[in-house]
Amino acid sequence: MNNELTISGIFSDTFDVDPGVGEVLFVDTVDHVSIFQSRIDQHGDFIDGGIVSSEADKALWLVESISDHEGDSYVLGYFEGQMDVDMSENTYLLNAGKPTLFLTKQSPNGTFIWGKTIDVGSIADSYQIQVDRFGSVYLMGSF
């Protein structure tokens, strides 16, 4: 595995995701919070990144972001409404009429692999995600 660091979080308005002297601006275009994910190398230089946004005035929460032993990254959170979970210029839409769990997977170079909704039928609190050496994904929480 390489010596890259993946950083995830939430932001609103405009956010400079480049930790160096350069500027790489992420802009929240829905006047609400968005989730970002970025990668930096072992020297602290920005490699790439992207954002996930839901519809304006709809719920969006980041629960956790992890990487597996192959360097794939997973983002777990909640959303409501419609959300584009492909952090590239492409689009992959998820839809939910109520707050629903979502899980996405990106390759080590940031390529979108898949995005899923997890409807548990009622209020759920997901606290942690784990991936085993076989690629099986486990969610821990109250469902």
Side-chain angles (χ1 to χ4, degrees), residues 110-130:
T111 302
F112 176 77
I113 298 173
W114 50 255
K116 308 283 183 192
T117 59
I118 305 160
D119 185 3
V120 294
S122 64
I123 299 296
D125 287 322
S126 183
Y127 306 111
Q128 190 175 17
I129 178 175
Q130 291 291 318

Side-chain angles (χ1 to χ4, degrees), residues 8 11 24 28 42 63 65 76 83 90 99-101 109-110 133:
S8 299
F11 76 101
V24 177
D28 177 29
Q42 62 188 356
V63 174
S65 176
L76 174 67
M83 179 172 69
N90 299 320
T100 301
L101 288 169
N109 67 359
R133 63 187 172 114

Side-chain angles (χ1 to χ4, degrees), residues 1-142:
M1 190 147 97
N2 57 28
N3 292 322
E4 296 172 356
L5 176 64
T6 300
I7 303 169
S8 299
I10 60 171
F11 76 101
S12 61
D13 300 320
T14 302
F15 173 62
D16 180 6
V17 71
D18 187 345
V21 294
E23 257 191 4
V24 177
L25 299 178
F26 285 173
V27 178
D28 177 29
T29 59
V30 293
D31 296 327
H32 198 49
V33 297
S34 292
I35 294 174
F36 77 91
Q37 186 170 41
S38 66
R39 291 185 308 137
I40 59 174
D41 68 17
Q42 62 188 356
H43 305 290
D45 295 323
F46 177 78
I47 299 170
D48 62 14
I51 63 172
V52 171
S53 293
S54 68
E55 296 175 289
D57 300 325
K58 295 291 184 180
L60 178 63
W61 300 275
L62 172 66
V63 174
E64 186 172 26
S65 176
I66 66 164
S67 295
D68 64 18
H69 71 283
E70 294 182 356
D72 294 328
S73 62
Y74 300 79
V75 175
L76 174 67
Y78 296 92
F79 81 107
E80 180 181 4
Q82 188 174 70
M83 179 172 69
D84 178 11
V85 294
D86 186 340
M87 294 187 192
S88 74
E89 64 280 350
N90 299 320
T91 301
Y92 189 88
L93 296 175
L94 297 178
N95 294 286
K98 62 182 180 182
T100 301
L101 288 169
F102 73 89
L103 179 63
T104 66
K105 179 179 180 181
Q106 293 85 30
S107 71
N109 67 359
T111 302
F112 176 77
I113 298 173
W114 50 255
K116 308 283 183 192
T117 59
I118 305 160
D119 185 3
V120 294
S122 64
I123 299 296
D125 287 322
S126 183
Y127 306 111
Q128 190 175 17
I129 178 175
Q130 291 291 318
V131 180
D132 68 17
R133 63 187 172 114
F134 303 108
S136 298
V137 179
Y138 300 91
L139 301 177
M140 280 73 57
S142 300

